[in-house]
Amino acid sequence: MLVLRALGLGDLLAAVPALRGIRRAFGGHRVVLALPPALREAALATGAVDDVLPAEAPGRAVPSLEHWAGPPPDIAIDLHGNGPASRDALAVLTPRRLLAHADPTRPPIWRPDEHERQRWCRFLASYGITADPGDLRLPAPGTPSPAPGAVVVHPGAEAAARRWPHERYAEVAQRLRAAGHRVVVTGGPAEDDLVADVARGAGLPPRDVLSGGLPYGELSALVARAALVVSGDTGLAHLAVAHGTPTVTLFGPVAPDLWGPPPLARHIALWKPGPPGDPHGDAPDPQLLRITTSEVTTAALTLLHAAAREGDHVRATAPASRR
């Protein structure tokens, strides 16, 4: 079986519920996921796929899959998009059965107002495959965290439209440090300058500046064992949700109703309602810029204080240890 989802980390994690539904429905098949090679480790960590087929194209375009070396897939599933381009990339491999939104024999089922996790579960349901949009948690990573218990501030994003100004991230980090919390800043392989700007503005020591793009295993461990993740609408926010880590996520071009975290108390999605923007635009979205540093700091401290109270309660109610 070949599944196409050749997008980013956030897209992969939003598709985990659908991938697990596929895994359960086709337990006798070897599930191969076509996606960018940099996401191989992340894909395998979901436990929903057996192998990956390296596949990527500039932007969010549909990659060619003609380097598939095996026999025609028994089943091919398009989780990439709703158009003929992604369907045809799979169809050229002549699978015995092809599941796609762009299926001329079926009515359209694409809804632009639907959350991404729900979208792909409902798509599979139209083919009789059950998937739970809430089935998104990842196993705890075995790699040690480079900064256990820290607040992770991640200022980067694939597109400028989803990047809150670095000066504001630095101010939030500075305030959280003043409140007694350790703060580390992270970024992708091409975001060293951005990370340095935030670190300099916040006065972070070198040990708390995690630049260069951490390997996935180390990044996953950092996020899984963090006290909180503060970021824009990007892959790291989805990774934190998948590990059950509290998040403050800043939304701009796209509403959290479409890409946000589940409605749980440990997640705060900040968003200023307004006309939808281009999530791949080359300038910060106006709605994103309306979010203030005070709002972000207050949200972060609210979650940190709640976690501290919960920890105190657990310690107070735990049975006494026995020698």
Side-chain angles (χ1 to χ4, degrees):
M1 170 186 293
L2 180 62
V3 182
L4 174 60
R5 182 79 171 173
L7 299 165
L9 176 61
D11 303 277
L12 166 64
L13 297 174
V16 163
L19 290 169
R20 288 184 173 152
I22 292 168
R23 170 82 286 169
R24 287 190 296 269
F26 300 98
H29 284 72
R30 181 173 178 80
V31 180
V32 179
L33 179 62
L35 84 172
L39 296 179
R40 175 185 177 84
E41 189 176 356
L44 295 178
T46 68
V49 301
D50 299 303
D51 203 354
V52 302
L53 176 70
E56 60 184 333
R60 297 175 70 83
V62 178
S64 169
L65 303 176
E66 294 187 31
H67 55 295
W68 171 264
D74 184 52
I75 301 171
I77 302 180
D78 178 9
L79 298 184
H80 189 92
N82 67 335
S86 51
R87 177 202 64 200
D88 292 348
L90 289 165
V92 74
L93 303 180
T94 63
R96 180 184 64 82
R97 186 182 181 199
L98 174 59
L99 283 57
H101 269 291
D103 184 341
T105 68
R106 304 170 65 85
I109 57 172
W110 184 274
R111 285 173 37 188
D113 62 343
E114 192 166 30
H115 194 285
E116 189 73 1
R117 289 189 297 273
Q118 178 65 38
R119 178 196 314 286
W120 295 107
C121 292
R122 191 171 64 84
F123 161 72
L124 292 176
S126 73
Y127 285 98
I129 301 169
T130 301
D132 176 7
D135 186 12
L136 47 78
R137 291 292 294 270
L138 294 180
T143 305
S145 167
V151 175
V152 176
V153 171
H154 185 80
E158 181 183 19
R162 290 179 278 124
R163 287 188 213 123
W164 203 48
H166 67 81
E167 298 92 343
R168 300 192 196 181
Y169 275 113
E171 184 177 341
V172 170
Q174 192 175 48
R175 291 186 183 184
L176 295 179
R177 292 187 73 217
H181 301 282
R182 182 184 178 187
V183 177
V184 300
V185 61
T186 65
E191 295 176 337
D192 284 359
D193 289 344
L194 177 60
V195 168
D197 287 340
V198 174
R200 186 165 43 250
L204 297 182
R207 74 183 185 114
D208 292 337
V209 183
L210 306 178
S211 56
L214 295 177
Y216 174 78
E218 194 173 347
L219 180 67
S220 182
L222 172 71
V223 169
R225 297 177 178 88
L228 175 71
V229 170
V230 180
S231 73
D233 174 21
T234 189
L236 203 75
H238 290 272
L239 185 59
V241 169
H243 281 309
T245 301
T247 62
V248 175
T249 309
L250 287 62
F251 287 84
V254 178
D257 287 349
L258 303 180
W259 279 90
L264 300 173
R266 64 175 172 265
H267 302 302
I268 296 179
L270 297 176
W271 179 60
K272 302 295 184 180
D278 177 8
H280 310 293
D282 57 8
D285 183 79
Q287 264 65 259
L288 179 65
L289 293 178
R290 288 170 56 198
I291 299 173
T292 68
T293 55
S294 292
E295 289 174 298
V296 177
T297 304
T298 298
L301 290 174
T302 296
L303 292 179
L304 290 167
H305 291 163
R309 287 195 301 271
E310 182 179 341
D312 290 341
H313 173 73
V314 170
R315 286 189 291 272
T317 58
S321 61
R322 296 180 179 178
R323 290 189 180 271

